[in-house]
Amino acid sequence: MITVTFVRHGESMDNLRSVWAGWSDSPLSNHGMNQARALGESFTDTRLTTIYTSPLKRAHMTATALRDAQPEPKPMIIISPLLKEQHFGAAEGSPWLIRQDPSRTLEEHFADGRYPVLYERTQKFPGGESLDDLAARADEAVRQLLLHHILQAARIGSQDDHIALVSHGLCISEMVAALVKQNHEGTPDTSYRGLRNTAWARVTVQVKGERAGEVVCIDEDDPPLLVKVTDFNRHEHISSVKRQKGGIGSSAYDPKQQKIRDFFGGKAVKDPVEALERSESNAEDEVTLERN
């Protein structure tokens, strides 16, 4: 059996500015770095064998904090572009809007530099990825980064492999679904959306018939697997992490920001409301803290 823990990155500077942040490479905010350290501390007794991470700064910084808190010998960090967030193309860095003006087409919005949430899985911004495109990449990530580990562990009878994948909310929601689809006994009708910053989800995978300590003879490349989601959106480690500056009125506490936080955590956005206000003042607080 192999254990896979999917970890969402900590709060980034772009999270604070309420912009489309897919492949734009914003670092963690001061608060996000504190979240990442708390994450690492909560995993000190959980032995990780390998950490895969998106190359984007917010994920890589989170992965580094996770590895730094591990005992010696520390796990290897492997960077994979397959773990990047959904690419929003021309919308990258532009203000995030939750609702399209019903009197204008999407193309007219794009021409004006306005980028509302796209509610259909096939829709995409110019030059970007649709959710279906992201799902295809997530499926490739599962096959390239995870399945060979699972088969190797079964072939040598290993029960101790624990892989962490540090990625992004939307990408993780698609990867967990892609891994669960490998379950030989059927796929539950469950949504894997809505991770908070540095929250994690855990999945166990084993070859059907595998027993602890026994070597499994596997001749096929796709043996029947038993896949089980054991934990989702675990974030107890950040319960005591307090924002050093900004506090009330920041994106963490502003109800108008909740939907954007849900969206980038991988959660479907429902009941559209007015366009969200940006939190630039809080972002400036974070920049000041970093400079100091």
PDB file of all heavy atoms in Angstrom, residues 83-116:
ATOM      1  N   LEU A  83       1.988  19.665 -12.029  1.00  0.00           N
ATOM      2  CA  LEU A  83       1.284  20.046 -10.800  1.00  0.00           C
ATOM      3  C   LEU A  83       0.933  21.525 -10.738  1.00  0.00           C
ATOM      4  O   LEU A  83       0.427  22.007  -9.715  1.00  0.00           O
ATOM      5  CB  LEU A  83       2.136  19.671  -9.585  1.00  0.00           C
ATOM      6  CG  LEU A  83       2.507  18.188  -9.459  1.00  0.00           C
ATOM      7  CD1 LEU A  83       3.336  17.949  -8.210  1.00  0.00           C
ATOM      8  CD2 LEU A  83       1.261  17.309  -9.447  1.00  0.00           C
ATOM      9  N   LYS A  84       1.181  22.260 -11.811  1.00  0.00           N
ATOM     10  CA  LYS A  84       0.836  23.683 -11.824  1.00  0.00           C
ATOM     11  C   LYS A  84      -0.677  23.866 -11.795  1.00  0.00           C
ATOM     12  O   LYS A  84      -1.442  22.974 -12.153  1.00  0.00           O
ATOM     13  CB  LYS A  84       1.432  24.348 -13.075  1.00  0.00           C
ATOM     14  CG  LYS A  84       2.949  24.391 -13.071  1.00  0.00           C
ATOM     15  CD  LYS A  84       3.521  24.830 -14.409  1.00  0.00           C
ATOM     16  CE  LYS A  84       3.420  26.314 -14.613  1.00  0.00           C
ATOM     17  NZ  LYS A  84       4.175  26.760 -15.820  1.00  0.00           N
ATOM     18  N   GLU A  85      -1.083  25.062 -11.378  1.00  0.00           N
ATOM     19  CA  GLU A  85      -2.503  25.391 -11.323  1.00  0.00           C
ATOM     20  C   GLU A  85      -3.073  25.500 -12.740  1.00  0.00           C
ATOM     21  O   GLU A  85      -2.340  25.543 -13.734  1.00  0.00           O
ATOM     22  CB  GLU A  85      -2.692  26.716 -10.559  1.00  0.00           C
ATOM     23  CG  GLU A  85      -4.135  27.151 -10.370  1.00  0.00           C
ATOM     24  CD  GLU A  85      -5.006  26.142  -9.634  1.00  0.00           C
ATOM     25  OE1 GLU A  85      -5.263  25.066 -10.228  1.00  0.00           O
ATOM     26  OE2 GLU A  85      -5.457  26.424  -8.514  1.00  0.00           O
ATOM     27  N   GLN A  86      -4.375  25.548 -12.829  1.00  0.00           N
ATOM     28  CA  GLN A  86      -5.022  25.789 -14.119  1.00  0.00           C
ATOM     29  C   GLN A  86      -4.476  27.087 -14.708  1.00  0.00           C
ATOM     30  O   GLN A  86      -4.317  28.100 -14.005  1.00  0.00           O
ATOM     31  CB  GLN A  86      -6.537  25.901 -13.934  1.00  0.00           C
ATOM     32  CG  GLN A  86      -7.311  26.135 -15.229  1.00  0.00           C
ATOM     33  CD  GLN A  86      -8.819  26.192 -14.984  1.00  0.00           C
ATOM     34  OE1 GLN A  86      -9.290  25.988 -13.860  1.00  0.00           O
ATOM     35  NE2 GLN A  86      -9.577  26.465 -16.031  1.00  0.00           N
ATOM     36  N   HIS A  87      -4.180  27.067 -16.000  1.00  0.00           N
ATOM     37  CA  HIS A  87      -3.641  28.257 -16.671  1.00  0.00           C
ATOM     38  C   HIS A  87      -4.806  29.114 -17.166  1.00  0.00           C
ATOM     39  O   HIS A  87      -5.662  28.629 -17.902  1.00  0.00           O
ATOM     40  CB  HIS A  87      -2.767  27.817 -17.843  1.00  0.00           C
ATOM     41  CG  HIS A  87      -2.063  28.933 -18.539  1.00  0.00           C
ATOM     42  ND1 HIS A  87      -1.695  30.097 -17.902  1.00  0.00           N
ATOM     43  CD2 HIS A  87      -1.660  29.074 -19.831  1.00  0.00           C
ATOM     44  CE1 HIS A  87      -1.092  30.897 -18.750  1.00  0.00           C
ATOM     45  NE2 HIS A  87      -1.065  30.306 -19.931  1.00  0.00           N
ATOM     46  N   PHE A  88      -4.818  30.385 -16.761  1.00  0.00           N
ATOM     47  CA  PHE A  88      -5.922  31.264 -17.107  1.00  0.00           C
ATOM     48  C   PHE A  88      -5.612  32.181 -18.296  1.00  0.00           C
ATOM     49  O   PHE A  88      -6.374  33.116 -18.581  1.00  0.00           O
ATOM     50  CB  PHE A  88      -6.342  32.089 -15.889  1.00  0.00           C
ATOM     51  CG  PHE A  88      -6.863  31.238 -14.767  1.00  0.00           C
ATOM     52  CD1 PHE A  88      -6.230  31.219 -13.533  1.00  0.00           C
ATOM     53  CD2 PHE A  88      -7.981  30.437 -14.940  1.00  0.00           C
ATOM     54  CE1 PHE A  88      -6.697  30.427 -12.498  1.00  0.00           C
ATOM     55  CE2 PHE A  88      -8.463  29.640 -13.903  1.00  0.00           C
ATOM     56  CZ  PHE A  88      -7.810  29.635 -12.679  1.00  0.00           C
ATOM     57  N   GLY A  89      -4.509  31.933 -18.988  1.00  0.00           N
ATOM     58  CA  GLY A  89      -4.224  32.648 -20.222  1.00  0.00           C
ATOM     59  C   GLY A  89      -4.227  34.154 -20.067  1.00  0.00           C
ATOM     60  O   GLY A  89      -3.569  34.714 -19.192  1.00  0.00           O
ATOM     61  N   ALA A  90      -4.996  34.818 -20.933  1.00  0.00           N
ATOM     62  CA  ALA A  90      -5.035  36.280 -20.954  1.00  0.00           C
ATOM     63  C   ALA A  90      -5.554  36.875 -19.659  1.00  0.00           C
ATOM     64  O   ALA A  90      -5.324  38.056 -19.370  1.00  0.00           O
ATOM     65  CB  ALA A  90      -5.896  36.757 -22.131  1.00  0.00           C
ATOM     66  N   ALA A  91      -6.254  36.091 -18.850  1.00  0.00           N
ATOM     67  CA  ALA A  91      -6.824  36.609 -17.601  1.00  0.00           C
ATOM     68  C   ALA A  91      -5.802  36.704 -16.470  1.00  0.00           C
ATOM     69  O   ALA A  91      -6.059  37.375 -15.469  1.00  0.00           O
ATOM     70  CB  ALA A  91      -7.985  35.727 -17.146  1.00  0.00           C
ATOM     71  N   GLU A  92      -4.655  36.064 -16.630  1.00  0.00           N
ATOM     72  CA  GLU A  92      -3.667  36.030 -15.553  1.00  0.00           C
ATOM     73  C   GLU A  92      -3.334  37.442 -15.055  1.00  0.00           C
ATOM     74  O   GLU A  92      -2.999  38.331 -15.831  1.00  0.00           O
ATOM     75  CB  GLU A  92      -2.380  35.363 -16.041  1.00  0.00           C
ATOM     76  CG  GLU A  92      -2.530  33.893 -16.383  1.00  0.00           C
ATOM     77  CD  GLU A  92      -2.440  32.989 -15.167  1.00  0.00           C
ATOM     78  OE1 GLU A  92      -1.974  33.450 -14.100  1.00  0.00           O
ATOM     79  OE2 GLU A  92      -2.840  31.816 -15.278  1.00  0.00           O
ATOM     80  N   GLY A  93      -3.457  37.644 -13.751  1.00  0.00           N
ATOM     81  CA  GLY A  93      -3.131  38.928 -13.139  1.00  0.00           C
ATOM     82  C   GLY A  93      -4.236  39.960 -13.197  1.00  0.00           C
ATOM     83  O   GLY A  93      -4.106  41.038 -12.608  1.00  0.00           O
ATOM     84  N   SER A  94      -5.331  39.639 -13.885  1.00  0.00           N
ATOM     85  CA  SER A  94      -6.452  40.584 -13.979  1.00  0.00           C
ATOM     86  C   SER A  94      -7.432  40.363 -12.833  1.00  0.00           C
ATOM     87  O   SER A  94      -7.511  39.259 -12.282  1.00  0.00           O
ATOM     88  CB  SER A  94      -7.191  40.405 -15.307  1.00  0.00           C
ATOM     89  OG  SER A  94      -6.351  40.739 -16.391  1.00  0.00           O
ATOM     90  N   PRO A  95      -8.192  41.394 -12.456  1.00  0.00           N
ATOM     91  CA  PRO A  95      -9.167  41.248 -11.364  1.00  0.00           C
ATOM     92  C   PRO A  95     -10.150  40.104 -11.624  1.00  0.00           C
ATOM     93  O   PRO A  95     -10.578  39.884 -12.766  1.00  0.00           O
ATOM     94  CB  PRO A  95      -9.885  42.609 -11.347  1.00  0.00           C
ATOM     95  CG  PRO A  95      -8.878  43.556 -11.902  1.00  0.00           C
ATOM     96  CD  PRO A  95      -8.137  42.786 -12.959  1.00  0.00           C
ATOM     97  N   TRP A  96     -10.498  39.439 -10.579  1.00  0.00           N
ATOM     98  CA  TRP A  96     -11.380  38.269 -10.618  1.00  0.00           C
ATOM     99  C   TRP A  96     -12.822  38.740 -10.494  1.00  0.00           C
ATOM    100  O   TRP A  96     -13.183  39.441  -9.552  1.00  0.00           O
ATOM    101  CB  TRP A  96     -10.997  37.388  -9.453  1.00  0.00           C
ATOM    102  CG  TRP A  96     -11.552  36.015  -9.398  1.00  0.00           C
ATOM    103  CD1 TRP A  96     -11.023  34.885  -9.960  1.00  0.00           C
ATOM    104  CD2 TRP A  96     -12.724  35.587  -8.684  1.00  0.00           C
ATOM    105  NE1 TRP A  96     -11.780  33.788  -9.640  1.00  0.00           N
ATOM    106  CE2 TRP A  96     -12.837  34.189  -8.854  1.00  0.00           C
ATOM    107  CE3 TRP A  96     -13.672  36.244  -7.912  1.00  0.00           C
ATOM    108  CZ2 TRP A  96     -13.864  33.441  -8.292  1.00  0.00           C
ATOM    109  CZ3 TRP A  96     -14.702  35.508  -7.361  1.00  0.00           C
ATOM    110  CH2 TRP A  96     -14.793  34.125  -7.552  1.00  0.00           C
ATOM    111  N   LEU A  97     -13.680  38.362 -11.447  1.00  0.00           N
ATOM    112  CA  LEU A  97     -15.097  38.723 -11.411  1.00  0.00           C
ATOM    113  C   LEU A  97     -15.923  37.456 -11.291  1.00  0.00           C
ATOM    114  O   LEU A  97     -15.651  36.467 -11.972  1.00  0.00           O
ATOM    115  CB  LEU A  97     -15.510  39.470 -12.689  1.00  0.00           C
ATOM    116  CG  LEU A  97     -14.765  40.767 -13.009  1.00  0.00           C
ATOM    117  CD1 LEU A  97     -15.270  41.340 -14.324  1.00  0.00           C
ATOM    118  CD2 LEU A  97     -14.953  41.775 -11.882  1.00  0.00           C
ATOM    119  N   ILE A  98     -16.948  37.491 -10.474  1.00  0.00           N
ATOM    120  CA  ILE A  98     -17.743  36.285 -10.275  1.00  0.00           C
ATOM    121  C   ILE A  98     -18.899  36.170 -11.260  1.00  0.00           C
ATOM    122  O   ILE A  98     -19.408  35.081 -11.496  1.00  0.00           O
ATOM    123  CB  ILE A  98     -18.271  36.215  -8.826  1.00  0.00           C
ATOM    124  CG1 ILE A  98     -18.693  34.779  -8.503  1.00  0.00           C
ATOM    125  CG2 ILE A  98     -19.394  37.194  -8.597  1.00  0.00           C
ATOM    126  CD1 ILE A  98     -18.989  34.548  -7.052  1.00  0.00           C
ATOM    127  N   ARG A  99     -19.301  37.294 -11.872  1.00  0.00           N
ATOM    128  CA  ARG A  99     -20.482  37.229 -12.726  1.00  0.00           C
ATOM    129  C   ARG A  99     -20.258  37.966 -14.034  1.00  0.00           C
ATOM    130  O   ARG A  99     -19.701  39.065 -14.073  1.00  0.00           O
ATOM    131  CB  ARG A  99     -21.694  37.829 -12.006  1.00  0.00           C
ATOM    132  CG  ARG A  99     -22.985  37.685 -12.799  1.00  0.00           C
ATOM    133  CD  ARG A  99     -24.198  38.069 -11.981  1.00  0.00           C
ATOM    134  NE  ARG A  99     -24.204  39.473 -11.595  1.00  0.00           N
ATOM    135  CZ  ARG A  99     -25.152  40.027 -10.856  1.00  0.00           C
ATOM    136  NH1 ARG A  99     -26.134  39.279 -10.387  1.00  0.00           N
ATOM    137  NH2 ARG A  99     -25.103  41.298 -10.557  1.00  0.00           N
ATOM    138  N   GLN A 100     -20.727  37.345 -15.113  1.00  0.00           N
ATOM    139  CA  GLN A 100     -20.693  37.966 -16.434  1.00  0.00           C
ATOM    140  C   GLN A 100     -21.849  38.953 -16.573  1.00  0.00           C
ATOM    141  O   GLN A 100     -22.948  38.711 -16.075  1.00  0.00           O
ATOM    142  CB  GLN A 100     -20.825  36.868 -17.495  1.00  0.00           C
ATOM    143  CG  GLN A 100     -20.880  37.374 -18.925  1.00  0.00           C
ATOM    144  CD  GLN A 100     -21.080  36.241 -19.921  1.00  0.00           C
ATOM    145  OE1 GLN A 100     -20.918  35.068 -19.591  1.00  0.00           O
ATOM    146  NE2 GLN A 100     -21.450  36.588 -21.150  1.00  0.00           N
ATOM    147  N   ASP A 101     -21.594  40.082 -17.200  1.00  0.00           N
ATOM    148  CA  ASP A 101     -22.665  41.028 -17.526  1.00  0.00           C
ATOM    149  C   ASP A 101     -23.572  40.353 -18.550  1.00  0.00           C
ATOM    150  O   ASP A 101     -23.131  40.028 -19.660  1.00  0.00           O
ATOM    151  CB  ASP A 101     -22.049  42.303 -18.114  1.00  0.00           C
ATOM    152  CG  ASP A 101     -23.095  43.364 -18.430  1.00  0.00           C
ATOM    153  OD1 ASP A 101     -24.293  43.028 -18.545  1.00  0.00           O
ATOM    154  OD2 ASP A 101     -22.708  44.540 -18.591  1.00  0.00           O
ATOM    155  N   PRO A 102     -24.837  40.092 -18.216  1.00  0.00           N
ATOM    156  CA  PRO A 102     -25.716  39.352 -19.129  1.00  0.00           C
ATOM    157  C   PRO A 102     -25.981  40.070 -20.455  1.00  0.00           C
ATOM    158  O   PRO A 102     -26.433  39.441 -21.414  1.00  0.00           O
ATOM    159  CB  PRO A 102     -27.011  39.177 -18.320  1.00  0.00           C
ATOM    160  CG  PRO A 102     -26.971  40.269 -17.293  1.00  0.00           C
ATOM    161  CD  PRO A 102     -25.530  40.462 -16.965  1.00  0.00           C
ATOM    162  N   SER A 103     -25.717  41.371 -20.520  1.00  0.00           N
ATOM    163  CA  SER A 103     -25.957  42.107 -21.758  1.00  0.00           C
ATOM    164  C   SER A 103     -24.771  42.042 -22.715  1.00  0.00           C
ATOM    165  O   SER A 103     -24.842  42.582 -23.818  1.00  0.00           O
ATOM    166  CB  SER A 103     -26.282  43.578 -21.445  1.00  0.00           C
ATOM    167  OG  SER A 103     -25.135  44.242 -20.924  1.00  0.00           O
ATOM    168  N   ARG A 104     -23.678  41.401 -22.300  1.00  0.00           N
ATOM    169  CA  ARG A 104     -22.482  41.335 -23.130  1.00  0.00           C
ATOM    170  C   ARG A 104     -22.005  39.888 -23.255  1.00  0.00           C
ATOM    171  O   ARG A 104     -22.172  39.078 -22.341  1.00  0.00           O
ATOM    172  CB  ARG A 104     -21.359  42.190 -22.514  1.00  0.00           C
ATOM    173  CG  ARG A 104     -21.721  43.667 -22.411  1.00  0.00           C
ATOM    174  CD  ARG A 104     -20.656  44.461 -21.676  1.00  0.00           C
ATOM    175  NE  ARG A 104     -19.384  44.491 -22.404  1.00  0.00           N
ATOM    176  CZ  ARG A 104     -19.123  45.297 -23.420  1.00  0.00           C
ATOM    177  NH1 ARG A 104     -20.052  46.150 -23.853  1.00  0.00           N
ATOM    178  NH2 ARG A 104     -17.947  45.288 -24.011  1.00  0.00           N
ATOM    179  N   THR A 105     -21.416  39.590 -24.409  1.00  0.00           N
ATOM    180  CA  THR A 105     -20.886  38.250 -24.633  1.00  0.00           C
ATOM    181  C   THR A 105     -19.553  38.100 -23.899  1.00  0.00           C
ATOM    182  O   THR A 105     -18.926  39.089 -23.501  1.00  0.00           O
ATOM    183  CB  THR A 105     -20.650  37.993 -26.124  1.00  0.00           C
ATOM    184  OG1 THR A 105     -19.607  38.864 -26.591  1.00  0.00           O
ATOM    185  CG2 THR A 105     -21.928  38.235 -26.928  1.00  0.00           C
ATOM    186  N   LEU A 106     -19.113  36.855 -23.750  1.00  0.00           N
ATOM    187  CA  LEU A 106     -17.813  36.627 -23.148  1.00  0.00           C
ATOM    188  C   LEU A 106     -16.713  37.268 -23.966  1.00  0.00           C
ATOM    189  O   LEU A 106     -15.760  37.843 -23.425  1.00  0.00           O
ATOM    190  CB  LEU A 106     -17.549  35.120 -23.013  1.00  0.00           C
ATOM    191  CG  LEU A 106     -18.130  34.418 -21.796  1.00  0.00           C
ATOM    192  CD1 LEU A 106     -17.862  32.923 -21.874  1.00  0.00           C
ATOM    193  CD2 LEU A 106     -17.554  34.989 -20.506  1.00  0.00           C
ATOM    194  N   GLU A 107     -16.829  37.183 -25.283  1.00  0.00           N
ATOM    195  CA  GLU A 107     -15.816  37.777 -26.155  1.00  0.00           C
ATOM    196  C   GLU A 107     -15.714  39.280 -25.946  1.00  0.00           C
ATOM    197  O   GLU A 107     -14.616  39.850 -25.969  1.00  0.00           O
ATOM    198  CB  GLU A 107     -16.135  37.465 -27.627  1.00  0.00           C
ATOM    199  CG  GLU A 107     -15.934  36.008 -28.035  1.00  0.00           C
ATOM    200  CD  GLU A 107     -16.964  35.072 -27.419  1.00  0.00           C
ATOM    201  OE1 GLU A 107     -18.078  35.538 -27.049  1.00  0.00           O
ATOM    202  OE2 GLU A 107     -16.659  33.867 -27.291  1.00  0.00           O
ATOM    203  N   GLU A 108     -16.854  39.937 -25.712  1.00  0.00           N
ATOM    204  CA  GLU A 108     -16.843  41.380 -25.443  1.00  0.00           C
ATOM    205  C   GLU A 108     -16.189  41.665 -24.087  1.00  0.00           C
ATOM    206  O   GLU A 108     -15.459  42.655 -23.946  1.00  0.00           O
ATOM    207  CB  GLU A 108     -18.276  41.920 -25.485  1.00  0.00           C
ATOM    208  CG  GLU A 108     -18.863  41.955 -26.890  1.00  0.00           C
ATOM    209  CD  GLU A 108     -20.333  42.342 -26.898  1.00  0.00           C
ATOM    210  OE1 GLU A 108     -21.038  42.046 -25.892  1.00  0.00           O
ATOM    211  OE2 GLU A 108     -20.791  42.931 -27.897  1.00  0.00           O
ATOM    212  N   HIS A 109     -16.442  40.799 -23.113  1.00  0.00           N
ATOM    213  CA  HIS A 109     -15.760  40.944 -21.830  1.00  0.00           C
ATOM    214  C   HIS A 109     -14.249  40.848 -22.018  1.00  0.00           C
ATOM    215  O   HIS A 109     -13.486  41.680 -21.508  1.00  0.00           O
ATOM    216  CB  HIS A 109     -16.219  39.849 -20.851  1.00  0.00           C
ATOM    217  CG  HIS A 109     -17.522  40.129 -20.185  1.00  0.00           C
ATOM    218  ND1 HIS A 109     -18.727  40.018 -20.830  1.00  0.00           N
ATOM    219  CD2 HIS A 109     -17.819  40.501 -18.911  1.00  0.00           C
ATOM    220  CE1 HIS A 109     -19.704  40.302 -19.990  1.00  0.00           C
ATOM    221  NE2 HIS A 109     -19.181  40.608 -18.817  1.00  0.00           N
ATOM    222  N   PHE A 110     -13.814  39.827 -22.757  1.00  0.00           N
ATOM    223  CA  PHE A 110     -12.382  39.607 -22.943  1.00  0.00           C
ATOM    224  C   PHE A 110     -11.740  40.789 -23.666  1.00  0.00           C
ATOM    225  O   PHE A 110     -10.629  41.213 -23.331  1.00  0.00           O
ATOM    226  CB  PHE A 110     -12.133  38.327 -23.739  1.00  0.00           C
ATOM    227  CG  PHE A 110     -12.658  37.076 -23.089  1.00  0.00           C
ATOM    228  CD1 PHE A 110     -12.859  35.924 -23.837  1.00  0.00           C
ATOM    229  CD2 PHE A 110     -12.953  37.038 -21.730  1.00  0.00           C
ATOM    230  CE1 PHE A 110     -13.328  34.768 -23.249  1.00  0.00           C
ATOM    231  CE2 PHE A 110     -13.436  35.887 -21.133  1.00  0.00           C
ATOM    232  CZ  PHE A 110     -13.622  34.740 -21.904  1.00  0.00           C
ATOM    233  N   ALA A 111     -12.456  41.339 -24.649  1.00  0.00           N
ATOM    234  CA  ALA A 111     -11.926  42.477 -25.400  1.00  0.00           C
ATOM    235  C   ALA A 111     -11.728  43.694 -24.505  1.00  0.00           C
ATOM    236  O   ALA A 111     -10.838  44.522 -24.747  1.00  0.00           O
ATOM    237  CB  ALA A 111     -12.870  42.822 -26.560  1.00  0.00           C
ATOM    238  N   ASP A 112     -12.551  43.794 -23.445  1.00  0.00           N
ATOM    239  CA  ASP A 112     -12.444  44.905 -22.492  1.00  0.00           C
ATOM    240  C   ASP A 112     -11.500  44.596 -21.333  1.00  0.00           C
ATOM    241  O   ASP A 112     -11.366  45.400 -20.402  1.00  0.00           O
ATOM    242  CB  ASP A 112     -13.832  45.246 -21.924  1.00  0.00           C
ATOM    243  CG  ASP A 112     -14.758  45.849 -22.967  1.00  0.00           C
ATOM    244  OD1 ASP A 112     -14.240  46.347 -24.000  1.00  0.00           O
ATOM    245  OD2 ASP A 112     -15.980  45.803 -22.765  1.00  0.00           O
ATOM    246  N   GLY A 113     -10.881  43.423 -21.375  1.00  0.00           N
ATOM    247  CA  GLY A 113      -9.992  43.049 -20.284  1.00  0.00           C
ATOM    248  C   GLY A 113     -10.715  42.654 -19.016  1.00  0.00           C
ATOM    249  O   GLY A 113     -10.182  42.809 -17.920  1.00  0.00           O
ATOM    250  N   ARG A 114     -11.928  42.134 -19.165  1.00  0.00           N
ATOM    251  CA  ARG A 114     -12.721  41.711 -18.015  1.00  0.00           C
ATOM    252  C   ARG A 114     -12.909  40.195 -18.084  1.00  0.00           C
ATOM    253  O   ARG A 114     -13.287  39.664 -19.141  1.00  0.00           O
ATOM    254  CB  ARG A 114     -14.077  42.423 -17.995  1.00  0.00           C
ATOM    255  CG  ARG A 114     -13.943  43.937 -17.787  1.00  0.00           C
ATOM    256  CD  ARG A 114     -15.275  44.660 -17.984  1.00  0.00           C
ATOM    257  NE  ARG A 114     -16.304  44.198 -17.066  1.00  0.00           N
ATOM    258  CZ  ARG A 114     -16.428  44.600 -15.798  1.00  0.00           C
ATOM    259  NH1 ARG A 114     -15.558  45.469 -15.302  1.00  0.00           N
ATOM    260  NH2 ARG A 114     -17.398  44.154 -15.035  1.00  0.00           N
ATOM    261  N   TYR A 115     -12.674  39.523 -16.955  1.00  0.00           N
ATOM    262  CA  TYR A 115     -12.625  38.067 -16.986  1.00  0.00           C
ATOM    263  C   TYR A 115     -13.470  37.460 -15.856  1.00  0.00           C
ATOM    264  O   TYR A 115     -12.999  37.254 -14.746  1.00  0.00           O
ATOM    265  CB  TYR A 115     -11.177  37.596 -16.874  1.00  0.00           C
ATOM    266  CG  TYR A 115     -10.328  38.128 -18.007  1.00  0.00           C
ATOM    267  CD1 TYR A 115      -9.524  39.256 -17.837  1.00  0.00           C
ATOM    268  CD2 TYR A 115     -10.363  37.526 -19.263  1.00  0.00           C
ATOM    269  CE1 TYR A 115      -8.763  39.756 -18.877  1.00  0.00           C
ATOM    270  CE2 TYR A 115      -9.604  38.014 -20.315  1.00  0.00           C
ATOM    271  CZ  TYR A 115      -8.799  39.127 -20.113  1.00  0.00           C
ATOM    272  OH  TYR A 115      -8.061  39.628 -21.157  1.00  0.00           O
ATOM    273  N   PRO A 116     -14.748  37.187 -16.160  1.00  0.00           N
ATOM    274  CA  PRO A 116     -15.629  36.588 -15.152  1.00  0.00           C
ATOM    275  C   PRO A 116     -15.369  35.079 -15.026  1.00  0.00           C
ATOM    276  O   PRO A 116     -14.754  34.452 -15.891  1.00  0.00           O
ATOM    277  CB  PRO A 116     -17.026  36.850 -15.727  1.00  0.00           C
ATOM    278  CG  PRO A 116     -16.813  36.856 -17.213  1.00  0.00           C
ATOM    279  CD  PRO A 116     -15.450  37.466 -17.422  1.00  0.00           C
TER     280      PRO A 116
END
